[in-house]
Amino acid sequence: MMPRMAFRSILPLLLLAGCVDQESTSNTEQALGGATDCLVPGALPDDGLDDRVAIQQALTNKGCALLSPGTYDVGVTVPRVFGGTTGLDRYDLLKLAGGRSLRGSGPATTIRFYGDAGKSDLRGVGMTGDENLVSDMRLDTTGLSNTGEQTHAIHMTGPALKQKVSGVWFQHPSLGPSAGGDCIKIVGYDPAVLADGTSGPDKRVSAVIIGNIFGACDRSGIAAHSGIREAVITSNLFLATGDQDIDLEGGGGIIDNLVIDGNAMRRTLNSGISVAIGADMTRKAVFSNNSVHGGRISTYNVQYLSVIGNTFESPGNALQMIKMSRLVTITGNTFVGTDPTITGTVITASHHNSGKPGNLVISGNTFELVSTNGGVVSLISAASASFTGNSVVWTPTTPVDISVALQIYGITQPTEAILVSSNVIRGPYSRTLGVTNSYEASNGGGIRSVTFVGNILRGPLLGVHCSQAGLGPYVSYGNSGATHQCAGPFTAGN
């Protein structure tokens, strides 16, 4: 399936891939606004000579480097072996140190990195300080080699606000015996608490990453270590990443605001995680209008999460949420299974240590499943949950004996309310909704109320099945083809 992106969103990708003619790419001055003062006369394309010094001088002295079409060689001309036994040295082949721009003329401009990094923590392009731009070119690291340390095509180091990477085609495959590396690496630092109780310098990063093609990435397409104030990742194409397409697990810190919108992610079916959001805490994250093929989304400790208007193809465990959240909204998505061997519940939320899922709203989604178990939602210890206005069609080749579309567990905290309303569910489920309460009544009760109203069921044997039920009423009315089977103190409604 094609990603749900407007043409304006995918146009940068088409231009970069050469699918649409780009006028005046041969006329660098016209294509880039006549910025003749940013041209680099000392860097001649396609001559096979090292252009690193000339490009860096332009970045340092003029604040910008504008490259016409052709291939520019940027090399590690001196082996970089430093740092005692580890040999660690952080080394930028090109560096943007605030208020700098490195621009090409589109896909016809290539920076080709080469040489032996010699145990350096190597970065093709380093970005630090505020307001840097890398745009409209190919970055090719296939000529680099490294031993035992990481190599990143682009590296952002805080403090670094208002960074932008746009219209870049990455060719950053495995470099052999190295510790791996990412196409874009982000490392920021949350303000430290000083001895007097005040906050230290803010060394976080904010970035816009738009309209790029991640053609090959040794490890992740975009990876963050910590300390992100804001990141907007939009209209990118991820084709071949060795790890995650977007990996925001990092080493801690807080992400204030994250937007992942209109991207296309292509992985082998059931091949792991496409997007991981796992900082110490993410205050707000929006995942919208993306096309995810084969991988899944994993979040940890996201306070406010919106998953809106995405398409997930072959979703085995398509969306996994762990630990504390205040509100999760999942609406208007399409989950399509194409491989019957892929198992796993599509949407899961669970506790971790003292952190528990908050309120979940799952509405207006379409599930077209062919897996053997047909699981749609599994929630463990959520504060509350509503599943409304969804369409579920399950057509397995060989269904399992006990299949449950929606499974709710009350384990480490009471679930105040479960609402299942106005859904259409088709398939040979043994149970539409399974309610299991393991939370001791002495702790205040497990699942306190269940409302099952106005659903249309075609194929399930049972509407609702309850086991180890806790306190509160069970209400069921206006359903087509539904029966219920609840034991314990649950009281059947009208």
Side-chain angles (χ1 to χ4, degrees), residues 15 19-20 40 68 128 139 205 207 209 245 329 388 421 434 453 468 491:
L15 290 172
C19 300
V20 177
V40 187
S68 57
T128 190
L139 293 181
V205 176
I209 300 170
D245 295 330
T329 302
T388 61
S421 174
V453 176
Q468 299 177 327
T491 302

Side-chain angles (χ1 to χ4, degrees), residues 85-104:
T85 57
T86 65
L88 178 61
D89 176 52
R90 292 178 173 85
Y91 181 53
D92 302 313
L93 292 177
L94 296 172
K95 187 170 185 177
L96 282 65
R100 299 319 198 252
S101 65
L102 174 61
R103 295 177 290 168

Side-chain angles (χ1 to χ4, degrees), residues 210-227:
I210 179 173
N212 305 284
I213 295 179
F214 295 85
C217 297
D218 179 15
R219 199 162 58 185
S220 294
I222 301 168
H225 183 269
S226 59

Side-chain angles (χ1 to χ4, degrees), residues 219-242:
R219 199 162 58 185
S220 294
I222 301 168
H225 183 269
S226 59
I228 296 179
R229 176 179 289 183
E230 181 174 36
V232 177
I233 302 170
T234 181
S235 303
N236 301 285
L237 176 60
F238 297 86
L239 292 175
T241 58

